[in-house]
Amino acid sequence: MKRAIATAVGIAALCAGGVLAAPTAVAAPGDSAVASEASVNAAKLHIYRHDDYKGGYHGFAKSDRDFTNNLWTGAANSVNNGASSMRNKTSRAAVLYDGRGFTGRTYYAKKHSSDSDLSNNGFDNRASSLRFL
Ligand SMILES: [Ca+2]
Ligand SMILES: [Ca+2]
């Protein structure tokens, strides 16, 4: 009789173990919630190598104090001193700087704005750092 009870308890423990496994899988929705939040924040300020949003581009989701280690998509060239147009798809204004470390001449980009040619702003091929406001 005692042995039978022990077996029953053992089976109950196994069942409990099986039930306990379920909450582990429940973690998945949490992960997707984080992913959707990330995609909301995925808006970027894009700079383009040529006028009219052409050529290679590079997107910034946050401030960057040195463009020398940022490359144009599909190219091995640094974007430093190479941007000729820009599109700010974010809901934050941003400032492009001629110098690294947010120094030198500045170019102000309003939120949700675009500029097909930075030449008439005296800022063609100058951007070296970017700060979101
Ligand atoms: Ca950088
Ligand atoms: Ca520069």
Side-chain angles (χ1 to χ4, degrees):
M1 192 62 178
K2 254 181 189 169
R3 179 174 290 272
I5 289 170
T7 303
V9 169
I11 290 167
L14 278 174
C15 287
V19 170
L20 278 174
T24 310
V26 172
D31 290 344
S32 68
V34 170
S36 68
E37 187 178 324
S39 62
V40 166
N41 295 331
K44 294 177 179 176
L45 186 152
H46 284 186
I47 55 173
Y48 301 83
R49 202 167 183 179
H50 303 311
D51 294 345
D52 301 317
Y53 324 110
K54 289 178 179 151
Y57 68 90
H58 187 88
F60 295 92
K62 57 183 183 179
S63 299
D64 193 320
R65 58 185 304 114
D66 184 357
F67 282 8
T68 54
N69 62 348
N70 301 92
L71 306 179
W72 295 116
T73 50
N77 313 61
S78 165
V79 306
N80 189 44
N81 295 330
S84 293
S85 55
M86 80 87 204
R87 216 173 235 150
N88 183 5
K89 302 175 181 180
T90 77
S91 53
R92 297 168 69 188
V95 177
L96 284 162
Y97 295 83
D98 188 355
R100 285 184 269 172
F102 317 130
T103 60
R105 189 188 294 219
T106 57
Y107 171 92
Y108 181 82
K110 285 185 267 189
K111 62 181 180 180
H112 302 301
S113 69
S114 58
D115 192 331
S116 63
D117 183 1
L118 301 179
S119 297
N120 55 0
N121 306 88
F123 214 76
D124 193 43
N125 297 330
R126 280 183 178 272
S128 295
S129 55
L130 162 72
R131 180 154 59 182
F132 284 102
L133 303 178

